[in-house]
Amino acid sequence: MKRAGVLFLAGLPVVATAVYFVLPSTAADAPAVPTSVGAQSSRDDAKERAEQDHEQQRDEDDETVASLPPGLAAPAKRELAHRLVASAEHSTTDWRSTYGIIEDRDDDCGYTAGIIGFCTGTHDLLTLVEHYTEKNPGNGLARYLPALRKVDGTDSHEGLDPGFTEAWKAEAEVPEFRAAQEEERDSVYFDPAVRLAKLDGLGTLGQFVYYDAMVFHGTGTDENGFYALRERVLEQAKTPAAGGAETDYLDAFLDARREAMLTRYPDRDTSRVDTAQRRFLQAGNLDLDTPLTWEMYGDSYTLS
């Protein structure tokens, strides 16, 4: 199976059908099995085989990832990645100072908040608060869950104003909520990005390119999400795992990403691609080694 054109999902749809059972009195006069029963059996068999194939592929992928160098998952590189993203999301490299940030950036995403820019309009902020509330039911954000569910997918503040922004800032002082933000960031964005990049044969820079793209474009399967972007790139260039050159693939990915950013936000600054990731790629810094110097929205940063 060609990995490049396939996105393995965690679950498979279940189709419910009516099944009629006939209990024959003898083998000789047993009626034929109704077509609906045979069709259902075939569907069940196909579903089971697909689940087994998926499980086997996942196990093989786990072994592949485990055999590779840590790359961006190494502690120092992970810290570097979070600092780079913070410069794009919050104009600072001190990502630990951003737990309590919350603002509406007039980008149709509602409120943007926290260390990775969770948004009320893009589902990830809702998921964060839901998961946090499951473990900490008496928290200061729990009462806003009905409103968060209502505005999810929109830029509306209905039910959130006044009060939500102050509640977020107050909760950001709670160690458990800070830990929840980090856990959600890692499980939704960082870990999946690094895993997929490694399976695509990408080094540390490529793993960061995927991570930042997931943060900005989201992890949905819609036409504007990360996975659709990657599929478009695969029509033009091969991943290193498929025999392509890493620099060529990353160059094509950044081209496609810049185009997608400008399609969605024609007036948006594309510094995170043009004067950061592209600069690292042009320098041949595929291992994302320090010192790093880049520009973001006109500001210069250096990490050594």
Side-chain angles (χ1 to χ4, degrees):
M1 183 178 294
K2 185 179 180 183
R3 186 193 310 281
V6 178
L7 172 63
F8 289 103
L9 300 177
L12 297 172
V14 178
V15 179
T17 57
V19 179
Y20 297 92
F21 295 94
V22 178
L23 301 178
S25 56
T26 66
D29 59 0
V33 178
T35 302
S36 59
V37 174
Q40 177 64 39
S41 177
S42 297
R43 282 192 290 268
D44 289 344
D45 290 344
K47 177 177 177 292
E48 183 177 357
R49 287 194 299 272
E51 290 175 341
Q52 291 174 348
D53 289 344
H54 170 60
E55 186 75 21
Q56 180 180 354
Q57 183 67 62
R58 186 174 60 187
D59 291 343
E60 292 176 359
D61 288 348
D62 286 343
E63 292 179 3
T64 298
V65 172
S67 70
L68 295 171
L72 201 67
K77 298 295 187 183
R78 180 187 292 262
E79 176 70 15
L80 178 61
H82 298 333
R83 287 176 177 268
L84 285 166
V85 170
S87 74
E89 291 292 323
H90 298 302
S91 297
T92 179
T93 58
D94 182 12
W95 67 267
R96 291 178 179 83
S97 69
T98 66
Y99 295 101
I101 289 179
I102 181 167
E103 60 185 335
D104 190 323
R105 297 175 175 175
D106 196 26
D107 56 3
D108 299 325
C109 293
Y111 282 122
T112 296
I115 57 174
I116 205 66
F118 301 104
C119 296
T120 56
T122 60
H123 196 64
D124 57 354
L125 190 147
L126 168 61
T127 302
L128 165 63
V129 177
E130 286 179 334
H131 289 168
Y132 178 56
T133 301
E134 289 173 3
K135 298 179 180 179
N136 304 271
N139 73 80
L141 298 174
R143 67 181 182 272
Y144 291 100
L145 277 171
L148 288 171
R149 295 185 181 108
K150 187 173 182 179
V151 303
D152 189 28
T154 76
D155 62 355
S156 173
H157 295 180
E158 184 178 356
L160 299 177
D161 295 337
F164 180 69
T165 57
E166 292 306 313
W168 179 278
K169 293 174 184 177
E171 203 66 26
E173 298 298 320
V174 179
E176 288 81 3
F177 186 52
R178 294 188 172 201
Q181 288 193 40
E182 294 180 31
E183 182 179 344
E184 202 73 16
R185 172 200 62 196
D186 293 345
S187 64
V188 175
Y189 298 108
F190 187 85
D191 293 343
V194 172
R195 173 186 170 83
L196 180 56
K198 287 184 176 182
L199 292 173
D200 280 349
L202 299 173
T204 306
L205 173 59
Q207 292 162 32
F208 175 73
V209 167
Y210 272 21
Y211 174 42
D212 189 68
M214 280 196 182
V215 169
F216 184 90
H217 297 279
T219 57
T221 55
D222 59 281
E223 63 179 1
N224 295 316
F226 167 83
Y227 292 104
L229 173 64
R230 174 176 171 272
E231 288 298 316
R232 290 198 293 273
V233 176
L234 291 174
E235 295 175 357
Q236 308 169 32
K238 292 182 179 180
T239 65
E246 185 170 11
T247 53
D248 291 344
Y249 176 77
L250 288 177
D251 205 39
F253 190 94
L254 293 178
D255 283 345
R257 189 177 169 201
R258 187 177 190 278
E259 181 181 355
M261 292 172 70
L262 291 175
T263 297
R264 183 177 180 184
Y265 302 113
D267 299 325
R268 176 67 67 92
D269 187 310
T270 56
S271 295
R272 62 201 303 162
V273 170
D274 300 336
T275 53
Q277 296 168 44
R278 183 83 72 182
R279 180 174 293 179
F280 305 151
L281 179 61
Q282 290 174 342
N285 192 355
L286 298 178
D287 291 328
L288 208 59
D289 291 327
T290 54
L292 285 178
T293 299
W294 72 99
E295 295 178 11
M296 196 68 67
Y297 316 133
D299 296 327
S300 296
Y301 299 89
T302 297
L303 288 177
S304 60

